Amino acid sequence: YWAEKAGCAELDFGGNAQFARVWTYSAIYGLTLTLGITIPFRWCAGRKRAFKVADSAGDAEEGDSPAKKTATMKSVEMELIDPTPNIEDAKAHLVRTSATVENKWLSPLCTPTYRLSEIGGTGTELYFRTLRNLGFIFAYMAAATGPLVAFCLLGNFGPDTGQFLLKTTIGNLGEFVEADIIDPWSRVVRLGCEGTEIHNLTGIFGWLDFVAVAIFLIYCIWARFIQIPSTAATDELEQVTPRDYSVMIDGLPYKIEDQKNYEKLLEEHLVSRIKHARSRRPVGHELPEPQVCELTLVRDYNGRLHELKDRAELVLRTEIAEKYSEKSGKPGRLDKLKGRLEKLNFKLGTKLEAEEELPVVRAYAILQCTEDVANLLFDYRFANYKLFKCCQFNARRFQGSSIRITPAPQPTDIIWENQDIAWYSRLWRQALVLLLFVIILSISLCLIYVTTVAGGKATAKSQVSYLGVPECDPAGDQVDLQGNEQYKCLITVASNWTKQYATEEGGDILSCWCTAQGYEALFRDQALLDACTPWLWELATSVGIAFASSTIVMVINVVLQLVLVYLAEFERPLSHTSLNSSMMKKAFWAQTLNTGFVLFFVNYFAPEVLQNAVLIIPGVGNLLFRGPFAEITRGWYAIVGVTILMNMLLNCFVPAGVTVAKMIVNVFMRCFFRMGVAHQAELLELYTHPEFDIKQKYAQLLTTVFVTLMYGAGLPLLYFLACAFMFCQYWADKYCLLWGSRRPPHYDTKMATEAIESMLYAVPFHCVLAILMYGQTCVFPSNPLGGDLGNLVDEGSGYTPGMLQQFIPQVTRESTWMFFLLFVLLVALWVLWLVLWIIGGTASTAWDLIVDVCCPKWKRKQPSRDEMVEALKKGERTLNGYSIDVASTMNWDEAFGHIESTFPPASYRFERHPALVSVAPLLRPSSQPNTARGSPSDAADAALRTAAEVSQENEATRAPTSAPVPDNVAKNFLKALDEEYVQGKGAMVGNFFDSEGYQDPLSPFEEKVRAAENKKDTIEAIAKEWGVECP
């Protein structure tokens, strides 16, 4: 029979020349794919990563970077003061707010991945590392399963629906034969005139897929426990950021007797504790005088900073509308905006107290050196334990309150609008959001389920066919949308019909006959094509309905994403990392359930018990679990498998294409609309890149990984498609970050860690689906286990409960047993992890306490700064077993300029935060305390100032952060000016420059004093402008 079908005298079941050729080509494909992406990467990444010693202390002596801060602050002020559109200022604003380093654009092609941490912190770097590494991993997985794809392409067992992607699935493995001639379990894999029974190969294919998933599992473990901690530690040592010099202080008293001097008193307390800690922990080199370089108090705005920010933005929009109204002579949107502003004013209602009188929630302090940070953290190490915090010594308390000092987050990671939200408020918000998320996700799943069912019913008539073998055929009686039982197309019967009979009968008979002929036969014979034209039109209609249902599903997903963003913001997290992490997890689960699970369960025919159980669900109960497939048979791959492959094929290019398209659209909008703006704020908005939406990108990445791992066993082409997605998305996102996005916050490792941990859960899903796919006797015939393992299975099966007895044959085949063992191992590890997580909080706290008490690391002698600098210049990362932190080689005065040019802003003040810098001057409360209920206009006047008032009051209320150098340096410079030009003590300014540096940014001010007639008044004006005390 096989020889007759192949056109051979006989089929050689002992020959292997043709099979050896396929295996050889597959090996060449795998090696080419593996080496083709590994060698270029290793070649380009071979250069050693070096410390930037010259960028630290050396730059501070030149004084270039502090001058840049002056330009930054002045340009921000000009943006608010002068409403006249200025394209040059807007272009400078674009450079300053984008992902640039020292105001220079980075090349996406030439910028190594590790430098991305300079732009968006370790979290951004890890996102791109994860994308790139997963690209390699999926390439290796595609190489490992290459032979399986090759043999699938050479088969013809799957339904001939004209879909090429179907040929890449295991549903097409082997030669098709009528079931009344040969049992499909005994079919062969034929290459020319050589052949072999399929069950001789399926065991090998199972191991190839197992090797592929083992590669993925090893990578996830390595990334979670080695790569992420190592990258975070390396970035912490190599980068100089505000966090290196800062601490966060919690537990502060809301109010003290001398509330106006709160900042001064806290500063004195911190300095005293630093001096005490220094006496207990001497170092081998001289430290600068203890000093708090900046102390930022987080005030309690009674949760109104959100509304204040909204009103500040609305004020700017109103002023823009006024400009357009003056230009056109028509009110336009002005009246509407004023109405909204009036409503918001009424909502604000109560006047705020003066800022210095507002309660204090927490504080961020920037210290003079990293040693002082370590000293404070050491001094307050027991405050992390509630019991010890309650028993805190009076000397460590501030104004009688026990405080806790911890490392501060990066300034850009802080969400200032949420800082004054109480912990219990965030807790109930999180609980409410979780409940709403479950409800909304359930509604969206139902809508998508119903829509997918409708599309599936429309296509099932032309896609589902029967072989007459229960193991190979769909289950149950299928009905259409009207509830009518659908015609069962039995291929073995229809293939014996004549064309005349089929055309005369028409309808379902003709459709079944055309399905039995197959697409290839139809398009080779014009007569057959003409006879099957009605069937082709019916098929086109069903495809159109399926496409429409997919479009509806896409719209539902888009709406769901918008709702999830609002829910995550409603939780009011304290940091951008927490906000994006919450959004990422919600979007990931929503997308994965909607794309990876719904399609599977729509086509699943469940046992009768489960079908009856879901009838209690109103509306959709009669649709659930009534699909055509009780098992993953050959027809499943034609309907579900091809749909998944098509979606993932589009997923390879659409997200990356959309990312690039958005960049191009933004450039065109900037060119077309810049000449028609009426206000500088509008121009600045046009010249501000959109946010780098890392949360949505992580969600898309996780969805791709989950869908690929879930169905990769039966759809091995998914590994290659996932590899293509990773690399396309990597380069599109890299271009988008460096050339098309504003500078992101400095994310930590939280999102990367959660993403990798989520990927670990994809492996058990893969094992389950692999058992279901490789254990299906019709599609993937596989021999039962033999030898000692087979005997062990036979002995154990007698003790297996009855309800599990049916699964024993499926999990004990040559192609499935290793997946079952891996699944059991992963479940056991997960249970162990869960137990450790439950009891680990107490155990970990106890261990940390022991370490804090003993603290041997504090007794280790640290090298001097000179020794560390010399070691860094030699390229050494450690010195006498001590890991060198670049930040420890410079003081805050020296690091200030470097941070402003690489990790801006070098401040925790909210007016320097990138998200608030354009409206910060409008957020300052009135200095007149008043808690009485007033009119909306009075409340607005007390709560905010307009941009016009900012312009009028600018000279009198200059922001203290507008000094070109740190405040302590500015005070010393003003003192030197006074001593030389007022008191006549000689070249005091020259001595200042020799000892402190900063000559470039401060020389213009010296020239201004030298040329002034009244030098004392000029010095006082400079001090007032900088917001520092005049000597």
Side-chain angles (χ1 to χ4, degrees), residues 913-983:
H913 195 283
L916 298 173
V917 69
S918 60
V919 295
L922 305 178
L923 290 172
R924 287 294 184 189
S926 169
S927 60
Q928 299 298 324
N930 190 341
T931 58
R933 183 81 178 180
S935 66
S937 59
D938 291 338
D941 291 339
L944 293 169
R945 297 175 296 165
T946 64
E949 290 171 336
V950 172
S951 176
Q952 295 171 2
E953 300 172 10
N954 180 66
E955 296 300 327
T957 57
R958 178 79 64 176
T961 53
S962 61
V965 293
D967 289 351
N968 60 319
V969 178
K971 292 177 182 178
N972 294 335
F973 173 68
L974 292 172
K975 181 179 179 181
L977 286 175
D978 183 76
E979 291 175 343
E980 177 172 342
Y981 292 102
V982 178
Q983 302 178 32

Side-chain angles (χ1 to χ4, degrees), residues 126-152:
L126 286 173
Y127 166 72
F128 283 93
R129 284 186 179 275
T130 302
L131 266 179
R132 185 193 62 195
N133 291 342
L134 283 175
F136 295 147
I137 295 302
F138 281 117
Y140 302 152
M141 296 173 73
T145 56
L148 177 57
V149 178
F151 280 100
C152 290

Side-chain angles (χ1 to χ4, degrees), residues 22 95 112 227 253-254 368 371 435 450 732 770 780 784-785 798-799 808 819 833 877-878 880 883 910 921 953 1022:
V22 174
V95 175
Q227 183 196 35
Y254 277 18
Q368 184 62 260
E371 288 84 355
L435 177 62
V450 172
F780 207 78
L785 275 176
Y799 302 97
I808 293 298
F819 290 102
W833 192 351
R877 298 169 180 255
T878 59
N880 300 328
S883 297
F910 79 83
E953 300 172 10
I1022 295 174

Side-chain angles (χ1 to χ4, degrees), residues 71-123:
T72 299
M73 294 307 300
K74 287 185 175 179
S75 62
V76 170
E77 293 166 2
M78 289 299 296
E79 292 166 10
L80 288 173
I81 295 171
D82 188 3
T84 304
N86 188 319
I87 292 181
E88 293 303 319
D89 285 348
K91 291 181 178 179
H93 168 84
L94 178 66
V95 175
R96 187 172 62 253
T97 58
S98 299
T100 56
V101 175
E102 297 182 354
N103 289 336
K104 295 180 181 178
W105 299 97
L106 299 179
S107 169
L109 290 176
C110 302
T111 302
T113 306
Y114 69 80
R115 289 207 65 188
L116 299 180
S117 61
E118 300 176 19
I119 295 171
T122 305

